[in-house]
């Protein structure tokens, strides 16, 4: 499965091996070299912090992130489907509902919600404390399916994501992702329905 790389001079490598080293070059977001071309070591890293520019080293990290993300999502999705018959997109919706207390607004969930409803894993309900829209509620069948699929998915995460990383690397990645989430306004989760907790 090809990774959706951003439009830049960095292309996706075919294998999982290390990327060939290149001298850092400062580029604009559109991919064109900036005035001045190449810079001495360290200068490009400083320059890429300016709005609208990014160096080759940063583009390499971005491309590697996209490539690894695409590979991991494909592998984890395949293993979840093979082990449980549940698509990863369905599992994602079920776990979001579970972590929100069993209920979320429909617009906060993926388009897979219609198929999950048809399978009997979620139900559309209203909320007494919030009349602005319809909520999706995790059914008993959906909760049972989530509990059945979760051990398979967690084993895949442990094997393909956690095991290759040392404890310090995992912690560093966690801090980096939280920094990115905070800088880009990524919320920690959706809001459930108050005052009418599902049974």
């Amino acid at each position: 499965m090809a990774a959706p790389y951003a439009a830049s001079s960095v292309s996706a490598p075919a294998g999982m091996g290390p990327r060939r080293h290149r001298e850092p070059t400062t580029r604009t977001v559109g991919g064109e070299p900036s005035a001045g071309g190449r810079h001495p070591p360290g200068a490009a890293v400083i320059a890429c912090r300016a709005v609208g520019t990014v160096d080759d080293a940063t583009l390499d990290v971005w491309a590697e992130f996209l490539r690894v993300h695409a590979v991991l999502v494909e592998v984890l999705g395949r293993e979840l489907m093979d082990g449980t018959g549940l698509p990863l997109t369905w599992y994602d919706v079920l776990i979001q509902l579970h972590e929100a207390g069993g209920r979320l607004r429909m617009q906060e969930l993926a388009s897979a919600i219609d198929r999950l409803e048809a399978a009997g894993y979620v139900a559309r309900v209203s909320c007494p404390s919030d009349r602005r829209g319809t909520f999706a509620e995790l059914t008993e069948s959906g909760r049972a399916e989530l509990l059945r699929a979760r051990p398979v998915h967690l084993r895949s995460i442990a094997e393909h994501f956690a095991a290759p990383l040392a404890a310090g690397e995992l912690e560093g990645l966690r801090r980096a992702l939280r920094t990115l989430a905070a800088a880009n306004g990524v919320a920690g989760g959706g809001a459930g329905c108050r005052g009418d907790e599902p049974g």
Side-chain angles (χ1 to χ4, degrees):
M1 176 173 145
Y5 281 83
S8 73
S9 63
V10 178
S11 58
M16 294 293 290
R19 301 177 64 83
R20 183 169 59 86
H21 174 73
R22 295 178 305 201
E23 284 293 316
T25 303
T26 303
R27 300 179 183 275
T28 63
V29 169
E32 294 300 322
S34 64
R38 299 190 178 277
H39 298 266
V45 175
I46 296 172
C48 80
R49 293 174 181 169
V51 176
T53 64
V54 64
D55 66 296
D56 271 357
T58 302
L59 287 175
D60 280 349
V61 174
W62 172 246
E64 197 75 2
F65 166 77
L66 292 176
R67 181 173 70 90
V68 172
H69 175 269
V71 170
L72 286 177
V73 167
E74 182 180 14
V75 170
L76 268 60
R78 183 174 64 248
E79 291 185 354
L80 183 65
M81 178 63 78
D82 291 345
T84 69
L86 190 71
L88 186 58
T89 51
W90 290 29
Y91 180 91
D92 180 59
V93 173
L94 293 178
I95 197 70
Q96 286 185 65
L97 285 167
H98 174 75
E99 291 180 349
R103 187 176 292 177
L104 283 172
R105 289 194 187 93
M106 295 292 295
Q107 62 265 34
E108 294 175 334
L109 299 173
S111 58
I113 195 71
D114 291 335
R115 296 187 294 276
L116 282 164
E117 184 182 26
Y121 296 153
V122 302
R124 297 173 192 260
V125 297
S126 60
C127 175
S129 64
D130 191 339
R131 300 295 186 183
R132 290 175 295 175
T134 304
F135 280 65
E137 181 176 281
L138 188 63
T139 65
E140 287 303 317
S141 295
R143 186 173 286 107
E145 183 66 13
L146 177 61
L147 292 176
R148 184 180 74 88
R150 196 169 190 178
V152 175
H153 191 50
L154 292 181
R155 280 196 300 271
S156 295
I157 293 173
E159 178 182 355
H160 301 293
F161 177 73
L165 297 173
E169 292 174 321
L170 197 60
E171 176 61 19
L173 180 58
R174 182 189 68 83
R175 289 198 304 268
L177 291 175
R178 286 190 174 182
T179 298
L180 287 170
N184 290 281
V186 179
C193 171
R194 300 182 306 275
D196 186 20
E197 295 298 323

